[in-house]
Amino acid sequence: MSVTQQQVLDSLGRIKSPRGVALTNANVLSGISASDGKVFFSINVDAAEARAWESIRAEAEAAVRAIPGVTTVMVALTAERKPGSAPPPPPQPSRGTPGVQPAHAHKPPQGGGSPMARQSEIPGVAAVIAVASGKGGVGKSTTALNLALGLRDLGLKVGLLDADIYGPSVPRLTGLHDKPELNNERKMIPLRRFGLAIMSIGFLVEEETAMIWRGPMVMSAVTQMLRDVEWGKLDVLVVDMPPGTGDAQLTLAQNVPLKGAVIVSTPQDLSLIDARRGLAMFSKVNVPVLGIVENMSYFQCPHCGTKSDIFGHGGARHEAEKLGVRFLGEIPLHMAIRATSDAGNPVVDSEPDGPHAAIYRAIAGQVRDQLKGAVATA
């Protein structure tokens, strides 16, 4: 059954804002994406009123879930203070006027606690690691998937979260395009392939959809992908991060106690400059860097086997030595890796006895060895 935007609007129109205005008339709704049973939209409010709106966000999500034909809903509450706006006024005695709570109710807890104090474990998940890069186009998602498969081959129970909300690649890399179902607690059930529990923002939106996200929307989406998914029992959850050092990375670090991060870079100087930024960011939020992977380290001709250093060679190894972090390995630029990725059959699974699968498994072994105490390493 197809769900239309008008059906969503009709449902939201029955919900009142904190000031008693119909949600559809409150000038807070973003554009609504409704396709193939999946509905996504955001509620954009001023930061001073965010707490008063959280219950409205939950009510809106419940109302949309109740529409026949809706299978998946994501509602992000974005709260931003308008540029140049004054800070909240001093608390005033309540006079019983209906509407948003007084300003003092929205103040953050006093005491200057660290944002990391909000961290909490994901039930059933022993270790969460991030796969990150300072810039796009370095093969981070391919590396994340094959690393997850390498950990699987070492006997671990592994999940893969595609948190690259700007350009999710995991649906294409895995050949999965189904919608996640919901369990009785209204949590999304990860899709399964290759023995992995897999979740991606790409399962919730169409492949051609332009992913235009503001900061608070990023934070809300990443949090929901972590917390509103029934991951089950996992030794390791591998998180494929967006490139760069922005809101998604900070949200992940503040949400869960990361056991470490793997940085993916190519050998060329431009990529290494951005890799340094990624290393610095994880250092600032006290996340250990498990090591650097040099992807596209060299081109290996599939016909004659000749190696060519198209992007230079050894840059990531030298950078790791200079920064005092582990160098995890070199992955070549090879037709087999590219072709299997495009076909949705990653090389570690489709060519398990080949040389490239061996490289990924060796990297996975080094990652596993650094997770002692968190996961079984036998």
Side-chain angles (χ1 to χ4, degrees), residues 262-293:
V262 174
I263 306 294
V264 181
S265 178
T266 62
Q268 65 188 125
D269 290 342
L270 191 60
S271 180
L272 291 168
I273 290 171
D274 292 318
R276 287 183 208 120
R277 294 192 182 104
L279 284 162
M281 185 210 68
F282 284 114
S283 176
K284 285 184 177 181
V285 294
N286 298 316
V287 173
V289 174
L290 303 175
I292 300 178
V293 173

PDB file of all heavy atoms in Angstrom, residues 262-293:
ATOM      1  N   VAL A 262      39.564   3.183  13.106  1.00  0.00           N
ATOM      2  CA  VAL A 262      40.484   2.833  12.018  1.00  0.00           C
ATOM      3  C   VAL A 262      40.415   3.961  10.999  1.00  0.00           C
ATOM      4  O   VAL A 262      39.330   4.322  10.539  1.00  0.00           O
ATOM      5  CB  VAL A 262      40.099   1.489  11.369  1.00  0.00           C
ATOM      6  CG1 VAL A 262      40.962   1.218  10.143  1.00  0.00           C
ATOM      7  CG2 VAL A 262      40.216   0.350  12.383  1.00  0.00           C
ATOM      8  N   ILE A 263      41.565   4.522  10.642  1.00  0.00           N
ATOM      9  CA  ILE A 263      41.634   5.615   9.685  1.00  0.00           C
ATOM     10  C   ILE A 263      42.055   5.056   8.330  1.00  0.00           C
ATOM     11  O   ILE A 263      43.042   4.324   8.234  1.00  0.00           O
ATOM     12  CB  ILE A 263      42.647   6.692  10.122  1.00  0.00           C
ATOM     13  CG1 ILE A 263      42.331   7.175  11.541  1.00  0.00           C
ATOM     14  CG2 ILE A 263      42.650   7.857   9.139  1.00  0.00           C
ATOM     15  CD1 ILE A 263      41.029   7.904  11.686  1.00  0.00           C
ATOM     16  N   VAL A 264      41.282   5.399   7.291  1.00  0.00           N
ATOM     17  CA  VAL A 264      41.590   4.950   5.923  1.00  0.00           C
ATOM     18  C   VAL A 264      42.107   6.145   5.127  1.00  0.00           C
ATOM     19  O   VAL A 264      41.510   7.218   5.141  1.00  0.00           O
ATOM     20  CB  VAL A 264      40.344   4.355   5.236  1.00  0.00           C
ATOM     21  CG1 VAL A 264      40.685   3.867   3.827  1.00  0.00           C
ATOM     22  CG2 VAL A 264      39.767   3.214   6.071  1.00  0.00           C
ATOM     23  N   SER A 265      43.228   5.936   4.434  1.00  0.00           N
ATOM     24  CA  SER A 265      43.819   7.005   3.633  1.00  0.00           C
ATOM     25  C   SER A 265      44.449   6.395   2.390  1.00  0.00           C
ATOM     26  O   SER A 265      44.753   5.197   2.342  1.00  0.00           O
ATOM     27  CB  SER A 265      44.889   7.754   4.442  1.00  0.00           C
ATOM     28  OG  SER A 265      45.511   8.760   3.663  1.00  0.00           O
ATOM     29  N   THR A 266      44.618   7.209   1.370  1.00  0.00           N
ATOM     30  CA  THR A 266      45.454   6.820   0.234  1.00  0.00           C
ATOM     31  C   THR A 266      46.863   7.350   0.503  1.00  0.00           C
ATOM     32  O   THR A 266      47.067   8.143   1.430  1.00  0.00           O
ATOM     33  CB  THR A 266      44.896   7.395  -1.080  1.00  0.00           C
ATOM     34  OG1 THR A 266      44.917   8.822  -1.008  1.00  0.00           O
ATOM     35  CG2 THR A 266      43.486   6.905  -1.341  1.00  0.00           C
ATOM     36  N   PRO A 267      47.859   6.947  -0.293  1.00  0.00           N
ATOM     37  CA  PRO A 267      49.236   7.369   0.000  1.00  0.00           C
ATOM     38  C   PRO A 267      49.523   8.840  -0.294  1.00  0.00           C
ATOM     39  O   PRO A 267      50.531   9.366   0.191  1.00  0.00           O
ATOM     40  CB  PRO A 267      50.083   6.482  -0.931  1.00  0.00           C
ATOM     41  CG  PRO A 267      49.182   5.422  -1.444  1.00  0.00           C
ATOM     42  CD  PRO A 267      47.802   5.982  -1.399  1.00  0.00           C
ATOM     43  N   GLN A 268      48.677   9.498  -1.084  1.00  0.00           N
ATOM     44  CA  GLN A 268      49.030  10.832  -1.539  1.00  0.00           C
ATOM     45  C   GLN A 268      48.925  11.859  -0.413  1.00  0.00           C
ATOM     46  O   GLN A 268      48.169  11.717   0.538  1.00  0.00           O
ATOM     47  CB  GLN A 268      48.157  11.245  -2.718  1.00  0.00           C
ATOM     48  CG  GLN A 268      46.677  11.390  -2.403  1.00  0.00           C
ATOM     49  CD  GLN A 268      45.856  11.613  -3.653  1.00  0.00           C
ATOM     50  OE1 GLN A 268      44.916  10.877  -3.922  1.00  0.00           O
ATOM     51  NE2 GLN A 268      46.199  12.616  -4.416  1.00  0.00           N
ATOM     52  N   ASP A 269      49.705  12.933  -0.540  1.00  0.00           N
ATOM     53  CA  ASP A 269      49.823  13.930   0.522  1.00  0.00           C
ATOM     54  C   ASP A 269      48.477  14.552   0.868  1.00  0.00           C
ATOM     55  O   ASP A 269      48.184  14.812   2.039  1.00  0.00           O
ATOM     56  CB  ASP A 269      50.813  15.029   0.110  1.00  0.00           C
ATOM     57  CG  ASP A 269      52.247  14.532   0.070  1.00  0.00           C
ATOM     58  OD1 ASP A 269      52.510  13.476   0.664  1.00  0.00           O
ATOM     59  OD2 ASP A 269      53.094  15.193  -0.559  1.00  0.00           O
ATOM     60  N   LEU A 270      47.635  14.836  -0.142  1.00  0.00           N
ATOM     61  CA  LEU A 270      46.363  15.495   0.107  1.00  0.00           C
ATOM     62  C   LEU A 270      45.480  14.661   1.025  1.00  0.00           C
ATOM     63  O   LEU A 270      44.829  15.182   1.933  1.00  0.00           O
ATOM     64  CB  LEU A 270      45.651  15.762  -1.222  1.00  0.00           C
ATOM     65  CG  LEU A 270      44.425  16.674  -1.171  1.00  0.00           C
ATOM     66  CD1 LEU A 270      44.805  18.048  -0.644  1.00  0.00           C
ATOM     67  CD2 LEU A 270      43.793  16.795  -2.553  1.00  0.00           C
ATOM     68  N   SER A 271      45.453  13.365   0.795  1.00  0.00           N
ATOM     69  CA  SER A 271      44.659  12.478   1.645  1.00  0.00           C
ATOM     70  C   SER A 271      45.247  12.381   3.040  1.00  0.00           C
ATOM     71  O   SER A 271      44.530  12.339   4.041  1.00  0.00           O
ATOM     72  CB  SER A 271      44.575  11.094   1.005  1.00  0.00           C
ATOM     73  OG  SER A 271      43.807  10.215   1.796  1.00  0.00           O
ATOM     74  N   LEU A 272      46.582  12.379   3.132  1.00  0.00           N
ATOM     75  CA  LEU A 272      47.232  12.246   4.431  1.00  0.00           C
ATOM     76  C   LEU A 272      47.009  13.480   5.311  1.00  0.00           C
ATOM     77  O   LEU A 272      46.891  13.374   6.525  1.00  0.00           O
ATOM     78  CB  LEU A 272      48.732  12.002   4.240  1.00  0.00           C
ATOM     79  CG  LEU A 272      49.093  10.635   3.648  1.00  0.00           C
ATOM     80  CD1 LEU A 272      50.547  10.593   3.223  1.00  0.00           C
ATOM     81  CD2 LEU A 272      48.798   9.529   4.650  1.00  0.00           C
ATOM     82  N   ILE A 273      46.939  14.652   4.680  1.00  0.00           N
ATOM     83  CA  ILE A 273      46.645  15.868   5.442  1.00  0.00           C
ATOM     84  C   ILE A 273      45.298  15.727   6.142  1.00  0.00           C
ATOM     85  O   ILE A 273      45.145  16.036   7.331  1.00  0.00           O
ATOM     86  CB  ILE A 273      46.648  17.101   4.512  1.00  0.00           C
ATOM     87  CG1 ILE A 273      48.072  17.397   4.041  1.00  0.00           C
ATOM     88  CG2 ILE A 273      46.057  18.311   5.218  1.00  0.00           C
ATOM     89  CD1 ILE A 273      48.132  18.453   2.955  1.00  0.00           C
ATOM     90  N   ASP A 274      44.305  15.232   5.398  1.00  0.00           N
ATOM     91  CA  ASP A 274      42.976  15.057   5.990  1.00  0.00           C
ATOM     92  C   ASP A 274      42.955  13.924   7.006  1.00  0.00           C
ATOM     93  O   ASP A 274      42.211  13.976   7.986  1.00  0.00           O
ATOM     94  CB  ASP A 274      41.951  14.801   4.883  1.00  0.00           C
ATOM     95  CG  ASP A 274      41.735  16.029   4.009  1.00  0.00           C
ATOM     96  OD1 ASP A 274      41.651  17.126   4.573  1.00  0.00           O
ATOM     97  OD2 ASP A 274      41.668  15.886   2.775  1.00  0.00           O
ATOM     98  N   ALA A 275      43.773  12.892   6.773  1.00  0.00           N
ATOM     99  CA  ALA A 275      43.847  11.790   7.736  1.00  0.00           C
ATOM    100  C   ALA A 275      44.370  12.290   9.077  1.00  0.00           C
ATOM    101  O   ALA A 275      43.918  11.844  10.139  1.00  0.00           O
ATOM    102  CB  ALA A 275      44.737  10.679   7.196  1.00  0.00           C
ATOM    103  N   ARG A 276      45.321  13.229   9.036  1.00  0.00           N
ATOM    104  CA  ARG A 276      45.848  13.799  10.285  1.00  0.00           C
ATOM    105  C   ARG A 276      44.739  14.491  11.073  1.00  0.00           C
ATOM    106  O   ARG A 276      44.689  14.421  12.298  1.00  0.00           O
ATOM    107  CB  ARG A 276      46.958  14.808   9.979  1.00  0.00           C
ATOM    108  CG  ARG A 276      48.251  14.171   9.514  1.00  0.00           C
ATOM    109  CD  ARG A 276      49.334  15.212   9.296  1.00  0.00           C
ATOM    110  NE  ARG A 276      50.257  14.727   8.272  1.00  0.00           N
ATOM    111  CZ  ARG A 276      50.510  15.334   7.124  1.00  0.00           C
ATOM    112  NH1 ARG A 276      49.893  16.475   6.834  1.00  0.00           N
ATOM    113  NH2 ARG A 276      51.359  14.819   6.266  1.00  0.00           N
ATOM    114  N   ARG A 277      43.834  15.167  10.347  1.00  0.00           N
ATOM    115  CA  ARG A 277      42.730  15.843  11.027  1.00  0.00           C
ATOM    116  C   ARG A 277      41.829  14.820  11.730  1.00  0.00           C
ATOM    117  O   ARG A 277      41.338  15.060  12.835  1.00  0.00           O
ATOM    118  CB  ARG A 277      41.911  16.654  10.022  1.00  0.00           C
ATOM    119  CG  ARG A 277      42.681  17.816   9.406  1.00  0.00           C
ATOM    120  CD  ARG A 277      41.736  18.747   8.644  1.00  0.00           C
ATOM    121  NE  ARG A 277      42.454  19.828   8.015  1.00  0.00           N
ATOM    122  CZ  ARG A 277      42.736  19.911   6.715  1.00  0.00           C
ATOM    123  NH1 ARG A 277      42.337  18.948   5.899  1.00  0.00           N
ATOM    124  NH2 ARG A 277      43.396  20.931   6.225  1.00  0.00           N
ATOM    125  N   GLY A 278      41.582  13.708  11.041  1.00  0.00           N
ATOM    126  CA  GLY A 278      40.777  12.659  11.655  1.00  0.00           C
ATOM    127  C   GLY A 278      41.431  12.100  12.905  1.00  0.00           C
ATOM    128  O   GLY A 278      40.770  11.890  13.930  1.00  0.00           O
ATOM    129  N   LEU A 279      42.733  11.867  12.838  1.00  0.00           N
ATOM    130  CA  LEU A 279      43.455  11.378  14.005  1.00  0.00           C
ATOM    131  C   LEU A 279      43.370  12.372  15.153  1.00  0.00           C
ATOM    132  O   LEU A 279      43.156  12.001  16.314  1.00  0.00           O
ATOM    133  CB  LEU A 279      44.926  11.138  13.632  1.00  0.00           C
ATOM    134  CG  LEU A 279      45.212   9.880  12.810  1.00  0.00           C
ATOM    135  CD1 LEU A 279      46.572   9.983  12.140  1.00  0.00           C
ATOM    136  CD2 LEU A 279      45.164   8.652  13.695  1.00  0.00           C
ATOM    137  N   ALA A 280      43.536  13.662  14.832  1.00  0.00           N
ATOM    138  CA  ALA A 280      43.487  14.692  15.874  1.00  0.00           C
ATOM    139  C   ALA A 280      42.108  14.752  16.519  1.00  0.00           C
ATOM    140  O   ALA A 280      41.989  14.925  17.740  1.00  0.00           O
ATOM    141  CB  ALA A 280      43.856  16.043  15.270  1.00  0.00           C
ATOM    142  N   MET A 281      41.051  14.597  15.708  1.00  0.00           N
ATOM    143  CA  MET A 281      39.711  14.671  16.262  1.00  0.00           C
ATOM    144  C   MET A 281      39.455  13.537  17.241  1.00  0.00           C
ATOM    145  O   MET A 281      38.947  13.745  18.351  1.00  0.00           O
ATOM    146  CB  MET A 281      38.666  14.631  15.145  1.00  0.00           C
ATOM    147  CG  MET A 281      37.241  14.814  15.631  1.00  0.00           C
ATOM    148  SD  MET A 281      36.004  13.968  14.628  1.00  0.00           S
ATOM    149  CE  MET A 281      36.387  12.259  14.987  1.00  0.00           C
ATOM    150  N   PHE A 282      39.802  12.308  16.853  1.00  0.00           N
ATOM    151  CA  PHE A 282      39.571  11.175  17.743  1.00  0.00           C
ATOM    152  C   PHE A 282      40.412  11.303  19.009  1.00  0.00           C
ATOM    153  O   PHE A 282      39.982  10.907  20.097  1.00  0.00           O
ATOM    154  CB  PHE A 282      39.853   9.856  17.022  1.00  0.00           C
ATOM    155  CG  PHE A 282      38.770   9.449  16.075  1.00  0.00           C
ATOM    156  CD1 PHE A 282      38.998   9.405  14.707  1.00  0.00           C
ATOM    157  CD2 PHE A 282      37.512   9.120  16.538  1.00  0.00           C
ATOM    158  CE1 PHE A 282      37.996   9.041  13.822  1.00  0.00           C
ATOM    159  CE2 PHE A 282      36.493   8.754  15.674  1.00  0.00           C
ATOM    160  CZ  PHE A 282      36.744   8.719  14.313  1.00  0.00           C
ATOM    161  N   SER A 283      41.599  11.871  18.878  1.00  0.00           N
ATOM    162  CA  SER A 283      42.430  12.090  20.061  1.00  0.00           C
ATOM    163  C   SER A 283      41.757  13.054  21.026  1.00  0.00           C
ATOM    164  O   SER A 283      41.772  12.854  22.240  1.00  0.00           O
ATOM    165  CB  SER A 283      43.798  12.628  19.631  1.00  0.00           C
ATOM    166  OG  SER A 283      44.596  12.938  20.761  1.00  0.00           O
ATOM    167  N   LYS A 284      41.130  14.103  20.496  1.00  0.00           N
ATOM    168  CA  LYS A 284      40.488  15.105  21.347  1.00  0.00           C
ATOM    169  C   LYS A 284      39.293  14.539  22.112  1.00  0.00           C
ATOM    170  O   LYS A 284      38.971  15.014  23.205  1.00  0.00           O
ATOM    171  CB  LYS A 284      40.037  16.296  20.502  1.00  0.00           C
ATOM    172  CG  LYS A 284      41.188  17.203  20.076  1.00  0.00           C
ATOM    173  CD  LYS A 284      40.672  18.424  19.328  1.00  0.00           C
ATOM    174  CE  LYS A 284      41.831  19.354  18.962  1.00  0.00           C
ATOM    175  NZ  LYS A 284      41.361  20.565  18.242  1.00  0.00           N
ATOM    176  N   VAL A 285      38.636  13.546  21.549  1.00  0.00           N
ATOM    177  CA  VAL A 285      37.481  12.956  22.243  1.00  0.00           C
ATOM    178  C   VAL A 285      37.853  11.629  22.908  1.00  0.00           C
ATOM    179  O   VAL A 285      36.994  10.823  23.257  1.00  0.00           O
ATOM    180  CB  VAL A 285      36.287  12.767  21.274  1.00  0.00           C
ATOM    181  CG1 VAL A 285      35.772  14.104  20.808  1.00  0.00           C
ATOM    182  CG2 VAL A 285      36.667  11.904  20.063  1.00  0.00           C
ATOM    183  N   ASN A 286      39.162  11.420  23.083  1.00  0.00           N
ATOM    184  CA  ASN A 286      39.690  10.274  23.837  1.00  0.00           C
ATOM    185  C   ASN A 286      39.287   8.916  23.256  1.00  0.00           C
ATOM    186  O   ASN A 286      38.998   7.975  23.990  1.00  0.00           O
ATOM    187  CB  ASN A 286      39.249  10.357  25.304  1.00  0.00           C
ATOM    188  CG  ASN A 286      39.777  11.599  25.999  1.00  0.00           C
ATOM    189  OD1 ASN A 286      40.942  11.953  25.837  1.00  0.00           O
ATOM    190  ND2 ASN A 286      38.925  12.275  26.750  1.00  0.00           N
ATOM    191  N   VAL A 287      39.257   8.844  21.921  1.00  0.00           N
ATOM    192  CA  VAL A 287      39.005   7.565  21.254  1.00  0.00           C
ATOM    193  C   VAL A 287      40.345   7.035  20.734  1.00  0.00           C
ATOM    194  O   VAL A 287      41.028   7.730  19.963  1.00  0.00           O
ATOM    195  CB  VAL A 287      38.029   7.732  20.074  1.00  0.00           C
ATOM    196  CG1 VAL A 287      37.903   6.425  19.292  1.00  0.00           C
ATOM    197  CG2 VAL A 287      36.665   8.174  20.586  1.00  0.00           C
ATOM    198  N   PRO A 288      40.755   5.841  21.144  1.00  0.00           N
ATOM    199  CA  PRO A 288      42.034   5.315  20.667  1.00  0.00           C
ATOM    200  C   PRO A 288      41.998   5.020  19.171  1.00  0.00           C
ATOM    201  O   PRO A 288      40.994   4.530  18.652  1.00  0.00           O
ATOM    202  CB  PRO A 288      42.213   4.023  21.475  1.00  0.00           C
ATOM    203  CG  PRO A 288      40.841   3.646  21.930  1.00  0.00           C
ATOM    204  CD  PRO A 288      40.081   4.928  22.087  1.00  0.00           C
ATOM    205  N   VAL A 289      43.078   5.357  18.487  1.00  0.00           N
ATOM    206  CA  VAL A 289      43.197   5.047  17.067  1.00  0.00           C
ATOM    207  C   VAL A 289      43.855   3.678  16.944  1.00  0.00           C
ATOM    208  O   VAL A 289      44.991   3.477  17.386  1.00  0.00           O
ATOM    209  CB  VAL A 289      44.016   6.122  16.328  1.00  0.00           C
ATOM    210  CG1 VAL A 289      44.245   5.705  14.876  1.00  0.00           C
ATOM    211  CG2 VAL A 289      43.296   7.469  16.377  1.00  0.00           C
ATOM    212  N   LEU A 290      43.122   2.742  16.369  1.00  0.00           N
ATOM    213  CA  LEU A 290      43.614   1.367  16.244  1.00  0.00           C
ATOM    214  C   LEU A 290      44.672   1.252  15.159  1.00  0.00           C
ATOM    215  O   LEU A 290      45.454   0.306  15.160  1.00  0.00           O
ATOM    216  CB  LEU A 290      42.459   0.413  15.955  1.00  0.00           C
ATOM    217  CG  LEU A 290      41.324   0.424  16.993  1.00  0.00           C
ATOM    218  CD1 LEU A 290      40.187  -0.476  16.544  1.00  0.00           C
ATOM    219  CD2 LEU A 290      41.838   0.013  18.360  1.00  0.00           C
ATOM    220  N   GLY A 291      44.685   2.206  14.225  1.00  0.00           N
ATOM    221  CA  GLY A 291      45.710   2.175  13.185  1.00  0.00           C
ATOM    222  C   GLY A 291      45.232   2.827  11.900  1.00  0.00           C
ATOM    223  O   GLY A 291      44.075   3.258  11.777  1.00  0.00           O
ATOM    224  N   ILE A 292      46.156   2.908  10.952  1.00  0.00           N
ATOM    225  CA  ILE A 292      45.903   3.502   9.646  1.00  0.00           C
ATOM    226  C   ILE A 292      46.001   2.420   8.576  1.00  0.00           C
ATOM    227  O   ILE A 292      46.916   1.590   8.599  1.00  0.00           O
ATOM    228  CB  ILE A 292      46.907   4.626   9.339  1.00  0.00           C
ATOM    229  CG1 ILE A 292      46.813   5.734  10.384  1.00  0.00           C
ATOM    230  CG2 ILE A 292      46.673   5.206   7.951  1.00  0.00           C
ATOM    231  CD1 ILE A 292      47.822   6.856  10.173  1.00  0.00           C
ATOM    232  N   VAL A 293      45.050   2.449   7.647  1.00  0.00           N
ATOM    233  CA  VAL A 293      45.077   1.566   6.476  1.00  0.00           C
ATOM    234  C   VAL A 293      45.413   2.405   5.252  1.00  0.00           C
ATOM    235  O   VAL A 293      44.819   3.461   5.032  1.00  0.00           O
ATOM    236  CB  VAL A 293      43.703   0.884   6.279  1.00  0.00           C
ATOM    237  CG1 VAL A 293      43.679   0.098   4.961  1.00  0.00           C
ATOM    238  CG2 VAL A 293      43.387  -0.040   7.447  1.00  0.00           C
TER     239      VAL A 293
END
